[in-house]
Amino acid sequence: MACIILGLDGMNESLLNYCKEEMPNLTSIQREWSSGTIKSVFPALSGPAWTSIVSGQSVQRHAFVNSFFYNKNLKLKLSDPDKIPGPHFYELIAKNKHKVFLMDVPFSRAKYIKYFGGDFLDSYFSSKPKEEMIIPKNILTRFPSSKNFINYKSAHQGQSIKETFQGFQQIIENNGNIIKEVLSKPEHNFYFFQLTVTDWLQHKALIDIKHKRGTEIERLSKDTLSRIDKLIGWVLENRINKKDSKDSLIII
């Protein structure tokens, strides 16, 4: 029995309503499963919102109002998740001897996971050097797909729209393969996977999709969302809907 959490960063509820044909699995989940709308924190940004979700604390308490800050010399610095007060809920799961796998969860940390046999692929919010983003190193041999893990937000910025969205699709392909490989080997009790592509996509394409402008952005966006939905369908087919499965799936 395992709990699987899939985070879709910035997945505007309106975006799903406009793309029901491209996302039949997620639409079915919303319609047929227990679902609801979560009111965001203030400010309604990915950094403070996910920090509140994983820590169970208000922004006033954890004090992470953005993913970055300016130091006294006015240099831009990424916020350090190790400075979030108190444990994250997945750390409590790890400390209770349940094996945890985390991938690209904003402001996540391996503070306790690495001591209790869990696996950790750091998020694009990380302030750590790249060589410290994969814990333990044997993930690369146990799950070969993790060698192609993409966790950096700006990988395809500054290019054409087509190249940017091809980059989004590459992230879904690479990180989706990690999700499939990890879930195909029932080594863990708890999984928390994050797909950040949805946030960038809704920033770039929501207006085009809403007004059905027929642009290249709209076409590529819907194709990207379709790929995400097929990944969700794979999780349903191979873990949740299998006969005698006791696994749970939560999509945030």
Side-chain angles (χ1 to χ4, degrees):
M1 181 171 67
C3 177
I4 304 166
I5 295 180
L6 176 62
L8 301 177
D9 187 31
M11 181 68 190
N12 191 299
E13 202 167 20
S14 297
L15 187 59
L16 176 58
N17 291 333
Y18 298 141
C19 299
K20 291 181 178 179
E21 290 185 8
E22 287 76 24
M23 306 197 82
N25 291 304
L26 188 53
T27 298
S28 177
I29 287 172
Q30 185 189 43
R31 183 178 63 247
E32 298 174 11
W33 293 18
S34 297
S35 65
T37 302
I38 299 175
K39 183 179 179 180
S40 190
V41 300
F42 180 82
L45 301 170
S46 293
W50 285 109
T51 301
S52 288
I53 287 172
V54 300
S55 70
Q57 302 177 49
S58 65
V59 176
Q60 183 180 14
R61 177 161 174 74
H62 65 62
F64 274 56
V65 296
N66 208 336
S67 55
F68 60 87
F69 65 94
Y70 290 92
N71 66 12
K72 62 182 180 180
N73 297 318
L74 296 181
K75 288 188 177 181
L76 192 66
K77 306 289 274 186
L78 283 171
S79 299
D80 185 355
D82 286 336
K83 294 183 178 179
I84 297 171
H88 293 179
F89 76 87
Y90 56 79
E91 293 175 334
L92 297 175
I93 293 172
K95 288 180 73 174
N96 280 278
K97 300 181 180 180
H98 296 292
K99 196 169 182 182
V100 171
F101 192 104
L102 257 68
M103 185 191 79
D104 209 11
V105 179
F107 286 132
S108 56
R109 60 192 183 191
K111 193 172 184 179
Y112 297 108
I113 293 174
K114 61 184 177 183
Y115 297 117
F116 294 95
D119 296 301
F120 179 77
L121 298 175
D122 211 344
S123 83
Y124 72 88
F125 282 110
S126 177
S127 58
K128 300 289 189 296
K130 192 169 184 180
E131 61 271 14
E132 296 179 23
M133 290 183 177
I134 297 177
I135 298 174
K137 294 299 182 185
N138 68 12
I139 290 180
L140 299 175
T141 53
R142 289 166 42 233
F143 301 104
S145 59
S146 63
K147 295 175 183 177
N148 299 316
F149 175 50
I150 303 176
N151 75 336
Y152 44 93
K153 187 173 183 177
S154 59
H156 298 275
Q157 290 182 356
Q159 301 182 22
S160 70
I161 288 294
K162 184 173 182 179
E163 290 171 326
T164 297
F165 276 85
Q166 287 173 341
F168 293 166
Q169 291 167 355
Q170 191 64 56
I171 290 172
I172 296 166
E173 177 74 16
N174 289 20
N175 294 1
N177 285 338
I178 297 171
I179 292 173
K180 291 177 181 179
E181 184 177 23
V182 171
L183 291 180
S184 295
K185 301 176 182 179
E187 296 183 14
H188 304 80
N189 308 108
F190 177 82
Y191 306 85
F192 197 162
F193 306 110
Q194 176 80 224
L195 292 177
T196 56
V197 166
T198 44
D199 182 48
W200 317 333
L201 188 150
Q202 63 92 11
H203 280 301
K204 292 179 178 292
L206 181 60
I207 299 302
D208 283 43
I209 292 173
K210 177 180 178 180
H211 296 291
K212 300 180 180 179
R213 291 177 172 173
T215 61
E216 182 78 349
I217 292 178
E218 180 184 356
R219 184 187 69 79
L220 291 168
S221 297
K222 288 185 173 181
D223 180 63
T224 301
L225 290 171
S226 177
R227 292 168 186 248
I228 293 171
D229 194 71
K230 288 176 181 176
L231 177 60
I232 293 172
W234 185 95
V235 175
L236 292 174
E237 181 180 353
N238 290 274
R239 287 298 296 254
I240 305 303
N241 294 336
K242 290 184 72 173
K243 186 178 180 180
D244 299 326
S245 173
K246 295 181 181 180
D247 295 338
S248 300
L249 174 65
I250 300 171
I251 299 179
I252 305 176

